[in-house]
Amino acid sequence: MLLYRSAVWFAKGLREYTKSGYESASKDFIPDDLEVQVPGRAFMVTGGNSGIGKATAFEIAKRGGTVHLVCRDQNRAEGARGEIIRESGNQNIFLHIVDLSDPKTIWKFVENFKQEHTLNVLINNAGCMVNKRELTEDGLEKNFATNTLGVYVLTTALIPVLEKEHDPRVVTVSSGGMLVQKLSTDDLQSERTAFDGTMVYAQNKRQQVVLTERWARAHPAIHFSCMHPGWVDTPDASLPEQRFA
């Protein structure tokens, strides 16, 4: 079954996830849809200091949106914030330092955030791929803690904040890699099989899709969606630890 799933993923990836796939799909894009302006709307982008998150934050800033960058590394995050402000001319860029592998830190952050800010759109972008099994201080497998539990806690805590606003949305950056995995409910933290960081990451991405389906049914006032950005130029997955936050 894994071989079949991998073959399907590879074929789909070659057709849809590469540059040629984007160029093919872009023929159906409606130009006016790409020129949308979002002044007065607030967006939270996790992992917004690099890669996909930074590009997303910059495009929102250019279009007049308020951006809340949620990042782990203070220095990198401050540099990204300054760059986004300079290049977009938008001063409404806020920075929040949060370790998304720590549930207690996330809850505390949201409790403080909702006292001072509103939110229209949450973009769950941050993630990590740790290729050797390691545990957080809470005894959680680090990939699961960041990619699944962190996304769950942040999203769940922010749902009451989002429901107060017009047209609230939650977008989770999953991955086409999840196509090689079916949901394993009896081994969520990858304890029962040989540890493979790439497959663990794919399982986490499958978990995100399932969570999104559950949230969409439970909270119809909020638009929930998952997306795959295609194959992008991010840090090499062969490194001992690959982080996107």
Side-chain angles (χ1 to χ4, degrees):
M1 180 60 73
L2 179 59
L3 181 61
Y4 171 75
R5 286 178 176 273
S6 297
V8 170
W9 175 81
F10 186 74
K12 185 177 180 65
L14 286 178
R15 185 176 67 253
E16 297 180 9
Y17 301 160
T18 59
K19 181 179 179 181
S20 61
Y22 168 80
E23 291 174 342
S24 176
S26 67
K27 295 176 183 178
D28 295 322
F29 290 176
I30 300 173
D32 288 347
D33 288 348
L34 304 179
E35 298 304 321
V36 64
Q37 300 297 309
V38 289
R41 287 179 66 79
F43 298 74
M44 182 180 292
V45 184
T46 65
N49 60 281
S50 65
I52 301 168
K54 183 179 177 182
T56 300
F58 175 64
E59 289 299 324
I60 293 169
K62 279 201 312 182
R63 289 161 169 74
T66 295
V67 180
H68 294 275
L69 302 173
V70 174
C71 307
R72 186 177 58 91
D73 187 292
Q74 180 90 40
N75 292 332
R76 291 175 61 195
E78 288 180 348
R81 176 178 179 271
E83 185 179 338
I84 292 170
I85 290 173
R86 286 193 303 273
E87 294 190 9
S88 69
N90 186 340
Q91 298 292 320
N92 294 319
I93 313 298
F94 298 89
L95 178 58
H96 311 275
I97 303 302
V98 183
D99 183 350
L100 292 174
S101 69
D102 184 347
K104 296 185 296 294
T105 298
I106 299 171
W107 279 110
K108 183 177 180 180
F109 158 64
V110 174
E111 285 300 306
N112 292 330
F113 179 89
K114 67 184 183 182
Q115 301 300 322
E116 302 178 10
H117 304 286
T118 60
L119 186 66
N120 298 92
V121 181
L122 167 62
I123 301 174
N124 288 311
N125 164 77
C128 71
M129 185 189 294
V130 182
N131 288 319
K132 291 185 179 180
R133 195 172 199 278
E134 60 180 276
L135 304 181
T136 68
E137 292 183 359
D138 293 320
L140 300 165
E141 191 278 313
K142 187 168 284 187
N143 291 299
F144 173 82
T146 305
N147 301 331
T148 301
L149 185 59
V151 168
Y152 172 79
V153 174
L154 181 65
T155 303
T156 301
L158 285 170
I159 282 174
V161 182
L162 289 160
E163 287 180 328
K164 294 178 181 179
E165 305 304 319
H166 172 69
D167 190 22
R169 297 171 179 242
V170 175
V171 180
T172 299
V173 181
S174 184
S175 170
M178 68 100 180
L179 293 171
V180 305
Q181 290 280 309
K182 63 178 181 179
L183 183 67
S184 178
T185 57
D186 61 348
D187 192 22
L188 293 176
Q189 297 193 59
S190 309
E191 300 172 280
R192 301 185 179 183
T193 58
F195 193 87
D196 181 327
T198 302
M199 291 300 102
V200 171
Y201 181 79
Q203 176 66 206
N204 294 161
K205 293 301 173 178
R206 171 67 72 178
Q207 292 164 359
Q208 289 178 351
V209 171
V210 173
L211 283 173
T212 298
E213 293 171 341
R214 297 292 184 92
W215 282 321
R217 288 197 293 268
H219 306 281
I222 301 174
H223 175 90
F224 288 90
S225 60
C226 278
M227 54 83 69
H228 173 59
W231 289 336
V232 295
D233 187 12
T234 51
D236 188 348
S238 64
L239 293 174
E241 181 174 349
Q242 179 180 8
R243 287 193 177 273
F244 305 100

